[in-house]
Amino acid sequence: MRIKITLLPEEDKSLNINYNYFLSGWVYNTLKKANREFAEHLHEKGYKYGKKVFKLFTFSQLRSKKLKIIDDEIMFLDETYLYITSPKKEFMLNFVTEVLNNEFLKLQDYQFRIKSVEMLKEPEFSNREDKFICLSPIVMSTAIEIDGKRKSINLPLHDSQFIENIKNNLIEKYYVLYNTLPDNLNINIDFDVNYYMKNPNGKRIKFKNVYVKGYMVPFKMSGNPDLIKVAYECGLGEKNSAGFGMIQKIK
């Protein structure tokens, strides 16, 4: 399930460009007002796969046709859109119910007026190759050993492990959702290399006190449609609940 929230920005005010942490907090607080027990369980425990924990939702960047960025501040100059997705009906129904009861979306000292909330039709997924764009940066990491200690680092998109880890991550999400492995593990992801080479450094976003690097690169995806649906509903890559990895199928 996926919704689109249309927002009206405050005039002559700006928002810190590293707003992911505050937007994530707004999502959890909204859920908590609707169903405290569910929200606290999701935030503190989530859905486990071994030592990994998934929250099974993600959200887009704040998107607007007209905006202005000055240093680390962003001004929204037109209607702004926020997309939120999750395969969990309990998440979406609680969240939407509470959003409809609110007039504003507040992020620190900035607030948007909520104009509308729209439930979006899910696209069809098949084993043929389809094109996708990123609504928020895709993040993937790996563990390395430094001075005898294992440390997680963000992978660059051109690293062969980037796509391989994404595939494994998708299979793990599928297992968490359905308590079984998919019959077909085939999934192919082909990022637009020419687009990537124009900005190989990716996008750095500060979340709490840590910088996270991700990539907003168009790509093609084919294979098991059930795994593609998981990517669409849960997000691609890691840190989805922090607002990373939301994708959109395009014609």
Side-chain angles (χ1 to χ4, degrees), residues 3-78:
I3 61 170
K4 174 185 178 182
I5 305 176
T6 300
L7 304 164
L8 301 178
E10 284 192 285
E11 294 183 3
D12 302 324
K13 288 196 71 176
S14 62
L15 175 68
N16 188 283
I17 201 167
N18 296 296
Y19 55 73
N20 279 56
Y21 177 67
F22 307 108
L23 197 47
S24 176
W26 174 78
V27 171
Y28 279 115
N29 287 334
T30 301
L31 271 180
K32 188 179 291 186
K33 291 178 183 177
N35 188 328
R36 174 179 289 272
E37 184 179 355
F38 173 74
E40 290 180 349
H41 183 273
L42 180 65
H43 185 261
E44 295 170 11
K45 295 184 178 180
Y47 305 93
K48 292 185 177 181
Y49 179 88
K51 293 183 179 180
K52 295 184 179 180
V53 177
F54 297 99
K55 303 302 175 65
L56 302 180
F57 78 89
T58 192
F59 55 88
S60 70
Q61 292 190 313
L62 294 168
R63 302 172 67 85
S64 178
K65 292 181 179 179
K66 293 182 181 179
L67 51 83
K68 182 187 295 185
I69 298 176
I70 303 175
D71 297 326
D72 61 350
E73 296 287 315
I74 182 169
M75 292 184 68
F76 299 94
L77 307 174
D78 201 349

Coordinates of all heavy atoms in Angstrom, one line a residue, residues 3-78:
I3 N 0.7 5.7 -0.1 CA -0.1 7.0 -0.1 C 0.7 8.1 -0.6 O 1.9 8.1 -0.5 CB -0.7 7.3 1.3 CG1 0.4 7.5 2.3 CG2 -1.7 6.2 1.7 CD1 -0.1 8.0 3.6
K4 N 0.0 9.1 -1.1 CA 0.6 10.4 -1.5 C 0.0 11.5 -0.7 O -1.2 11.7 -0.7 CB 0.4 10.6 -3.0 CG 0.8 12.0 -3.5 CD 0.4 12.2 -4.9 CE 0.8 13.5 -5.5 NZ 0.4 13.7 -6.9
I5 N 0.8 12.2 0.1 CA 0.3 13.4 0.9 C 0.7 14.7 0.2 O 1.9 14.9 -0.1 CB 0.9 13.3 2.3 CG1 0.6 12.0 3.0 CG2 0.3 14.5 3.2 CD1 1.3 11.9 4.4
T6 N -0.3 15.5 -0.1 CA 0.0 16.8 -0.7 C 0.0 17.8 0.3 O -0.9 17.9 1.2 CB -1.1 17.1 -1.8 OG1 -1.2 16.1 -2.8 CG2 -0.8 18.5 -2.4
L7 N 1.1 18.6 0.3 CA 1.4 19.6 1.4 C 1.5 21.0 0.8 O 2.0 21.2 -0.3 CB 2.7 19.2 2.1 CG 2.8 17.8 2.7 CD1 4.2 17.5 3.0 CD2 1.9 17.7 3.9
L8 N 1.1 22.0 1.6 CA 1.3 23.4 1.3 C 2.3 23.9 2.2 O 2.2 23.9 3.4 CB 0.0 24.1 1.4 CG -1.2 23.6 0.6 CD1 -2.5 24.4 0.9 CD2 -0.9 23.7 -0.9
P9 N 3.4 24.5 1.6 CA 4.6 24.9 2.4 C 4.3 26.3 3.1 O 3.4 27.0 2.6 CB 5.7 25.0 1.4 CG 5.0 25.3 0.1 CD 3.7 24.6 0.2
E10 N 5.1 26.6 4.1 CA 5.0 27.9 4.7 C 5.8 28.9 3.8 O 6.8 28.6 3.3 CB 5.7 27.9 6.1 CG 4.9 27.2 7.2 CD 5.5 27.5 8.5 OE1 6.5 26.9 8.8 OE2 5.0 28.4 9.3
E11 N 5.2 30.1 3.6 CA 5.8 31.1 2.8 C 7.0 31.7 3.5 O 7.0 31.9 4.8 CB 4.8 32.1 2.4 CG 3.7 31.6 1.5 CD 2.8 32.8 1.1 OE1 3.0 33.9 1.5 OE2 1.8 32.5 0.4
D12 N 8.1 32.0 2.8 CA 9.3 32.7 3.3 C 9.9 32.0 4.5 O 10.6 32.7 5.3 CB 8.9 34.2 3.7 CG 8.3 34.9 2.5 OD1 8.7 34.7 1.4 OD2 7.3 35.7 2.7
K13 N 9.8 30.7 4.6 CA 10.5 30.0 5.6 C 11.3 28.8 5.0 O 10.9 28.3 3.9 CB 9.5 29.5 6.7 CG 9.0 30.5 7.6 CD 8.3 30.0 8.9 CE 9.4 29.4 9.8 NZ 8.8 29.0 11.1
S14 N 12.3 28.4 5.7 CA 13.1 27.3 5.1 C 13.3 26.2 6.1 O 13.0 26.4 7.3 CB 14.5 27.8 4.7 OG 15.2 28.3 5.8
L15 N 13.7 25.0 5.6 CA 13.8 23.8 6.4 C 15.2 23.3 6.2 O 15.8 23.3 5.1 CB 12.8 22.8 6.0 CG 12.8 21.4 6.6 CD1 12.4 21.5 8.1 CD2 11.9 20.4 5.9
N16 N 15.8 22.8 7.3 CA 17.1 22.2 7.2 C 17.1 21.0 6.2 O 16.2 20.2 6.3 CB 17.7 21.7 8.5 CG 19.1 21.3 8.4 OD1 19.5 20.2 8.0 ND2 20.0 22.2 8.9
I17 N 18.1 21.0 5.3 CA 18.0 20.0 4.2 C 18.2 18.6 4.7 O 17.8 17.6 4.1 CB 19.1 20.3 3.2 CG1 18.8 19.6 1.8 CG2 20.5 20.0 3.7 CD1 19.6 20.1 0.7
N18 N 18.7 18.4 5.9 CA 18.9 17.1 6.6 C 17.6 16.8 7.4 O 17.8 16.7 8.7 CB 20.2 17.0 7.4 CG 21.4 17.2 6.5 OD1 21.7 16.3 5.7 ND2 22.1 18.3 6.7
Y19 N 16.5 16.7 6.8 CA 15.2 16.6 7.5 C 14.8 15.1 7.8 O 13.7 14.9 8.4 CB 14.1 17.4 6.8 CG 13.9 17.0 5.4 CD1 13.3 15.8 5.0 CD2 14.3 17.8 4.3 CE1 13.1 15.4 3.7 CE2 14.1 17.5 3.0 CZ 13.5 16.3 2.7 OH 13.3 15.9 1.4
N20 N 15.5 14.2 7.3 CA 15.1 12.8 7.4 C 14.8 12.3 8.8 O 13.8 11.7 9.0 CB 16.2 11.8 6.8 CG 16.1 11.8 5.3 OD1 16.2 12.8 4.6 ND2 16.0 10.5 4.7
Y21 N 15.6 12.7 9.7 CA 15.4 12.3 11.1 C 14.1 12.8 11.7 O 13.4 12.1 12.4 CB 16.6 12.7 12.0 CG 16.5 12.4 13.4 CD1 16.5 11.1 13.9 CD2 16.3 13.4 14.4 CE1 16.4 10.8 15.2 CE2 16.2 13.2 15.7 CZ 16.2 11.9 16.1 OH 16.1 11.6 17.5
F22 N 13.8 14.1 11.4 CA 12.6 14.7 11.9 C 11.4 14.2 11.2 O 10.3 14.0 11.8 CB 12.7 16.2 11.7 CG 14.0 16.8 12.3 CD1 15.0 17.3 11.4 CD2 14.2 16.8 13.6 CE1 16.2 17.8 12.0 CE2 15.4 17.3 14.2 CZ 16.4 17.8 13.3
L23 N 11.5 13.8 9.9 CA 10.4 13.2 9.2 C 10.1 11.8 9.7 O 8.9 11.4 9.8 CB 10.7 13.2 7.7 CG 9.5 13.0 6.7 CD1 8.3 13.9 7.1 CD2 10.0 13.3 5.3
S24 N 11.2 11.1 10.0 CA 11.0 9.7 10.5 C 10.3 9.8 11.9 O 9.4 9.0 12.2 CB 12.4 9.1 10.7 OG 12.3 7.8 11.3
G25 N 10.7 10.8 12.7 CA 10.1 11.0 14.0 C 8.6 11.4 13.9 O 7.8 10.9 14.7
W26 N 8.3 12.2 12.9 CA 6.9 12.5 12.6 C 6.1 11.3 12.3 O 4.9 11.1 12.8 CB 6.8 13.5 11.5 CG 5.4 13.8 11.1 CD1 4.5 14.6 11.8 CD2 4.6 13.3 10.0 NE1 3.3 14.7 11.2 CE2 3.3 13.9 10.0 CE3 5.0 12.5 8.9 CZ2 2.4 13.6 9.1 CZ3 4.0 12.2 8.0 CH2 2.8 12.7 8.0
V27 N 6.6 10.4 11.5 CA 5.9 9.1 11.1 C 5.6 8.3 12.4 O 4.5 7.9 12.6 CB 6.7 8.3 10.1 CG1 6.1 6.9 9.9 CG2 6.9 9.0 8.8
Y28 N 6.6 8.1 13.2 CA 6.4 7.3 14.4 C 5.4 8.0 15.4 O 4.6 7.3 16.0 CB 7.7 7.1 15.1 CG 8.5 5.9 14.5 CD1 9.8 6.2 13.9 CD2 8.1 4.6 14.6 CE1 10.5 5.1 13.4 CE2 8.8 3.6 14.1 CZ 10.0 3.8 13.5 OH 10.8 2.8 12.9
N29 N 5.5 9.3 15.5 CA 4.6 10.0 16.4 C 3.2 10.0 15.9 O 2.3 9.9 16.7 CB 5.1 11.5 16.6 CG 6.3 11.6 17.4 OD1 6.6 10.8 18.3 ND2 7.1 12.7 17.2
T30 N 3.0 10.0 14.6 CA 1.7 9.9 14.0 C 1.1 8.6 14.3 O -0.1 8.4 14.7 CB 1.7 10.2 12.5 OG1 2.3 11.5 12.3 CG2 0.4 10.1 11.9
L31 N 1.9 7.5 14.1 CA 1.5 6.2 14.4 C 1.1 6.0 15.9 O 0.1 5.4 16.3 CB 2.6 5.2 14.1 CG 2.7 4.6 12.7 CD1 3.8 3.6 12.6 CD2 1.4 3.9 12.3
K32 N 1.9 6.6 16.8 CA 1.7 6.5 18.2 C 0.4 7.1 18.7 O -0.3 6.6 19.6 CB 2.9 7.1 19.0 CG 2.9 6.9 20.5 CD 4.1 7.6 21.2 CE 5.4 6.9 20.8 NZ 6.5 7.4 21.6
K33 N 0.0 8.2 18.0 CA -1.3 8.8 18.4 C -2.4 7.9 18.0 O -3.5 7.9 18.6 CB -1.4 10.1 17.6 CG -0.5 11.2 18.2 CD -0.6 12.5 17.4 CE 0.4 13.6 17.8 NZ 0.3 14.8 17.0
A34 N -2.2 7.1 16.9 CA -3.3 6.2 16.4 C -3.3 4.9 17.2 O -4.4 4.4 17.5 CB -3.1 6.0 14.9
N35 N -2.1 4.4 17.5 CA -2.0 3.1 18.1 C -0.7 3.0 18.8 O 0.3 2.6 18.2 CB -2.2 1.9 17.1 CG -2.3 0.6 17.7 OD1 -1.7 0.3 18.7 ND2 -3.1 -0.3 17.0
R36 N -0.7 3.4 20.1 CA 0.6 3.5 20.8 C 1.3 2.1 20.9 O 2.5 2.0 20.7 CB 0.3 4.0 22.2 CG 1.6 4.0 23.1 CD 1.3 4.6 24.5 NE 1.1 6.0 24.4 CZ 2.0 6.9 24.5 NH1 3.3 6.5 24.7 NH2 1.8 8.2 24.4
E37 N 0.6 1.0 21.2 CA 1.2 -0.3 21.3 C 1.9 -0.7 20.1 O 3.0 -1.2 20.1 CB 0.1 -1.3 21.8 CG 0.7 -2.7 22.0 CD -0.4 -3.7 22.5 OE1 -1.6 -3.3 22.7 OE2 -0.1 -4.9 22.6
F38 N 1.2 -0.6 18.9 CA 1.7 -1.0 17.7 C 3.0 -0.1 17.3 O 4.0 -0.6 16.9 CB 0.7 -0.8 16.5 CG 1.2 -1.0 15.2 CD1 1.5 -2.3 14.7 CD2 1.5 0.0 14.3 CE1 2.0 -2.6 13.4 CE2 2.0 -0.2 13.0 CZ 2.3 -1.5 12.6
A39 N 2.9 1.2 17.5 CA 4.0 2.1 17.2 C 5.2 1.8 18.0 O 6.3 1.7 17.5 CB 3.6 3.5 17.4
E40 N 5.0 1.6 19.3 CA 6.2 1.3 20.2 C 6.8 -0.1 19.9 O 8.0 -0.2 19.9 CB 5.7 1.3 21.7 CG 5.4 2.7 22.1 CD 5.0 2.8 23.6 OE1 4.7 1.7 24.2 OE2 4.9 3.9 24.1
H41 N 6.0 -1.1 19.5 CA 6.5 -2.4 19.1 C 7.3 -2.3 17.9 O 8.4 -2.9 17.7 CB 5.4 -3.4 19.0 CG 5.9 -4.8 18.7 ND1 6.1 -5.2 17.4 CD2 6.2 -5.8 19.5 CE1 6.5 -6.5 17.4 NE2 6.6 -6.9 18.7
L42 N 6.8 -1.5 16.9 CA 7.5 -1.3 15.6 C 8.8 -0.6 15.8 O 9.9 -1.0 15.3 CB 6.6 -0.5 14.6 CG 7.2 -0.3 13.3 CD1 7.4 -1.6 12.5 CD2 6.3 0.7 12.5
H43 N 8.8 0.4 16.6 CA 10.0 1.2 16.8 C 11.1 0.5 17.6 O 12.3 0.5 17.3 CB 9.6 2.5 17.6 CG 10.8 3.5 17.7 ND1 11.5 3.6 18.9 CD2 11.4 4.4 16.8 CE1 12.4 4.5 18.7 NE2 12.4 5.0 17.5
E44 N 10.7 -0.2 18.7 CA 11.6 -0.9 19.6 C 12.0 -2.3 19.1 O 13.2 -2.7 19.4 CB 11.0 -0.9 21.0 CG 10.8 0.5 21.6 CD 10.0 0.5 22.8 OE1 9.8 -0.7 23.4 OE2 9.6 1.5 23.3
K45 N 11.1 -3.0 18.5 CA 11.4 -4.4 18.1 C 11.4 -4.7 16.6 O 12.2 -5.4 16.1 CB 10.4 -5.3 18.8 CG 10.6 -5.3 20.4 CD 9.6 -6.3 21.0 CE 9.8 -6.3 22.5 NZ 8.9 -7.2 23.2
G46 N 10.4 -4.1 15.9 CA 10.3 -4.4 14.5 C 10.1 -5.8 14.1 O 9.5 -6.6 14.9
Y47 N 10.5 -6.2 12.9 CA 10.4 -7.6 12.4 C 11.8 -8.2 12.2 O 12.5 -7.6 11.4 CB 9.6 -7.6 11.1 CG 8.2 -6.9 11.2 CD1 8.1 -5.5 10.9 CD2 7.1 -7.5 11.7 CE1 6.9 -4.9 11.0 CE2 5.9 -6.9 11.8 CZ 5.8 -5.6 11.5 OH 4.6 -4.9 11.6
K48 N 12.0 -9.3 12.9 CA 13.4 -9.8 13.0 C 13.7 -10.9 11.9 O 12.8 -11.7 11.7 CB 13.7 -10.3 14.4 CG 13.8 -9.2 15.4 CD 14.2 -9.7 16.8 CE 14.3 -8.6 17.8 NZ 14.8 -9.1 19.1
Y49 N 14.9 -10.8 11.4 CA 15.5 -11.9 10.6 C 16.9 -12.1 11.1 O 17.8 -11.4 10.8 CB 15.5 -11.4 9.1 CG 16.1 -12.5 8.2 CD1 15.3 -13.5 7.6 CD2 17.5 -12.5 7.9 CE1 15.9 -14.5 6.8 CE2 18.1 -13.5 7.1 CZ 17.2 -14.5 6.5 OH 17.8 -15.4 5.7
G50 N 17.0 -13.1 12.0 CA 18.3 -13.3 12.7 C 18.6 -12.2 13.5 O 17.8 -11.7 14.4
K51 N 19.8 -11.6 13.3 CA 20.2 -10.4 14.1 C 19.7 -9.1 13.4 O 19.8 -8.0 14.0 CB 21.7 -10.3 14.2 CG 22.3 -11.5 15.1 CD 23.8 -11.3 15.3 CE 24.3 -12.4 16.1 NZ 25.8 -12.3 16.3
K52 N 19.1 -9.2 12.2 CA 18.7 -8.0 11.5 C 17.2 -7.7 11.9 O 16.4 -8.6 12.2 CB 18.7 -8.2 10.0 CG 20.2 -8.4 9.5 CD 20.2 -8.5 8.0 CE 21.6 -8.6 7.4 NZ 21.6 -8.7 5.9
V53 N 16.9 -6.4 11.9 CA 15.6 -5.9 12.2 C 15.1 -5.0 11.1 O 15.8 -4.1 10.6 CB 15.6 -5.1 13.5 CG1 14.2 -4.6 13.8 CG2 16.1 -6.0 14.7
F54 N 13.9 -5.4 10.6 CA 13.2 -4.6 9.5 C 12.0 -3.9 10.1 O 11.3 -4.5 10.9 CB 12.9 -5.5 8.4 CG 14.0 -6.1 7.7 CD1 14.4 -7.4 8.0 CD2 14.8 -5.4 6.8 CE1 15.5 -8.1 7.4 CE2 15.9 -6.0 6.2 CZ 16.2 -7.4 6.5
K55 N 11.7 -2.7 9.6 CA 10.5 -2.0 10.0 C 9.4 -2.1 8.9 O 8.3 -1.8 9.2 CB 10.9 -0.5 10.3 CG 11.9 -0.3 11.3 CD 11.6 -0.9 12.7 CE 12.7 -0.9 13.7 NZ 13.0 0.5 14.1
L56 N 9.8 -2.4 7.7 CA 8.9 -2.7 6.6 C 8.1 -1.5 6.2 O 6.9 -1.6 6.0 CB 8.0 -3.9 6.9 CG 8.8 -5.2 7.2 CD1 7.8 -6.3 7.5 CD2 9.7 -5.6 6.0
F57 N 8.7 -0.3 6.2 CA 8.1 0.9 5.6 C 9.2 1.8 5.2 O 10.3 1.7 5.6 CB 7.1 1.6 6.6 CG 7.8 2.4 7.7 CD1 8.1 3.7 7.4 CD2 8.1 1.8 8.9 CE1 8.7 4.5 8.4 CE2 8.7 2.6 9.9 CZ 9.0 3.9 9.6
T58 N 8.8 2.7 4.3 CA 9.8 3.8 3.9 C 9.0 5.0 3.4 O 7.8 4.9 3.2 CB 10.8 3.3 2.8 OG1 11.8 4.3 2.7 CG2 10.1 3.1 1.5
F59 N 9.7 6.1 3.3 CA 9.1 7.3 2.8 C 10.0 8.0 1.8 O 11.2 7.8 1.8 CB 8.6 8.2 3.9 CG 9.7 8.6 4.9 CD1 10.5 9.7 4.7 CD2 9.9 7.8 6.0 CE1 11.5 10.0 5.6 CE2 10.9 8.1 7.0 CZ 11.7 9.3 6.7
S60 N 9.4 8.9 1.0 CA 10.2 9.6 0.0 C 10.8 10.9 0.6 O 10.6 11.2 1.7 CB 9.3 10.0 -1.2 OG 8.4 11.0 -0.7
Q61 N 11.7 11.5 -0.2 CA 12.1 12.8 0.1 C 10.9 13.8 -0.2 O 9.9 13.4 -0.8 CB 13.2 13.3 -0.8 CG 14.5 12.5 -0.6 CD 15.7 13.2 -1.4 OE1 15.6 13.5 -2.6 NE2 16.8 13.4 -0.7
L62 N 10.9 14.9 0.4 CA 9.9 15.9 0.1 C 10.1 16.4 -1.3 O 11.2 17.0 -1.6 CB 10.0 17.1 1.2 CG 9.6 16.6 2.6 CD1 10.0 17.8 3.6 CD2 8.1 16.3 2.7
R63 N 9.1 16.3 -2.1 CA 9.3 16.6 -3.5 C 8.4 17.7 -4.0 O 7.2 17.8 -3.6 CB 8.9 15.3 -4.4 CG 9.8 14.1 -4.0 CD 9.3 12.9 -4.7 NE 9.5 12.9 -6.1 CZ 10.7 12.6 -6.7 NH1 11.7 12.3 -6.0 NH2 10.8 12.7 -8.1
S64 N 9.0 18.7 -4.7 CA 8.3 19.8 -5.2 C 8.8 20.3 -6.5 O 10.0 20.1 -6.8 CB 8.4 21.0 -4.2 OG 7.7 22.1 -4.6
K65 N 8.0 20.8 -7.4 CA 8.5 21.3 -8.7 C 9.2 22.6 -8.6 O 10.1 22.9 -9.4 CB 7.3 21.5 -9.6 CG 6.6 20.2 -10.0 CD 5.4 20.5 -11.0 CE 4.7 19.2 -11.4 NZ 3.6 19.4 -12.3
K66 N 9.0 23.3 -7.5 CA 9.7 24.6 -7.3 C 10.3 24.6 -5.9 O 9.6 24.5 -4.9 CB 8.7 25.8 -7.5 CG 8.2 26.0 -8.9 CD 7.3 27.2 -8.9 CE 6.8 27.4 -10.3 NZ 5.9 28.6 -10.4
L67 N 11.6 24.7 -5.8 CA 12.3 24.8 -4.5 C 13.6 25.6 -4.7 O 14.1 25.7 -5.8 CB 12.5 23.5 -3.9 CG 13.1 22.3 -4.7 CD1 14.6 22.4 -4.7 CD2 12.7 21.0 -4.1
K68 N 14.1 26.0 -3.6 CA 15.4 26.8 -3.6 C 16.2 26.3 -2.5 O 15.8 26.1 -1.4 CB 15.1 28.3 -3.4 CG 16.4 29.1 -3.5 CD 16.1 30.6 -3.1 CE 15.2 31.2 -4.2 NZ 14.9 32.7 -3.9
I69 N 17.5 25.9 -2.8 CA 18.4 25.4 -1.8 C 19.5 26.5 -1.6 O 20.2 26.9 -2.5 CB 19.0 24.1 -2.2 CG1 17.9 23.0 -2.3 CG2 20.1 23.6 -1.2 CD1 18.4 21.7 -2.8
I70 N 19.7 26.9 -0.4 CA 20.7 27.8 0.0 C 21.5 27.2 1.1 O 21.0 27.1 2.2 CB 20.1 29.2 0.4 CG1 19.3 29.8 -0.7 CG2 21.3 30.2 0.8 CD1 18.6 31.1 -0.4
D71 N 22.8 26.9 0.9 CA 23.6 26.2 1.9 C 22.9 25.0 2.3 O 22.7 24.1 1.5 CB 24.0 27.2 3.0 CG 24.8 28.4 2.5 OD1 25.6 28.2 1.6 OD2 24.6 29.5 3.1
D72 N 22.6 24.8 3.6 CA 22.0 23.6 4.1 C 20.5 23.9 4.4 O 19.9 23.1 5.2 CB 22.7 23.1 5.3 CG 22.7 24.1 6.5 OD1 22.3 25.3 6.3 OD2 23.1 23.7 7.6
E73 N 19.9 24.9 3.8 CA 18.5 25.2 4.0 C 17.8 25.0 2.7 O 18.3 25.3 1.6 CB 18.3 26.6 4.5 CG 18.9 26.8 5.9 CD 18.1 26.1 7.0 OE1 16.8 26.2 7.0 OE2 18.7 25.5 7.9
I74 N 16.5 24.5 2.7 CA 15.7 24.3 1.5 C 14.4 25.1 1.7 O 13.8 25.0 2.8 CB 15.5 22.8 1.3 CG1 14.7 22.6 0.0 CG2 14.8 22.1 2.4 CD1 14.7 21.2 -0.5
M75 N 14.0 25.8 0.6 CA 12.7 26.5 0.6 C 11.8 25.8 -0.4 O 12.2 25.6 -1.5 CB 12.9 28.0 0.3 CG 13.6 28.8 1.3 SD 13.7 30.6 0.9 CE 11.9 31.0 1.0
F76 N 10.6 25.4 0.0 CA 9.6 24.9 -0.9 C 8.7 26.0 -1.4 O 8.1 26.7 -0.6 CB 8.8 23.8 -0.2 CG 9.7 22.6 0.3 CD1 10.2 22.7 1.6 CD2 10.0 21.6 -0.5 CE1 11.0 21.6 2.1 CE2 10.8 20.6 -0.1 CZ 11.3 20.6 1.2
L77 N 8.6 26.1 -2.7 CA 7.9 27.3 -3.3 C 6.6 26.9 -4.0 O 6.0 27.7 -4.6 CB 8.8 28.0 -4.3 CG 10.2 28.4 -3.7 CD1 11.1 28.9 -4.8 CD2 10.1 29.4 -2.6
D78 N 6.2 25.7 -3.8 CA 5.0 25.2 -4.5 C 4.4 24.0 -3.7 O 5.0 23.6 -2.7 CB 5.2 24.8 -5.9 CG 4.0 24.8 -6.8 OD1 2.9 24.9 -6.2 OD2 4.1 24.7 -8.0

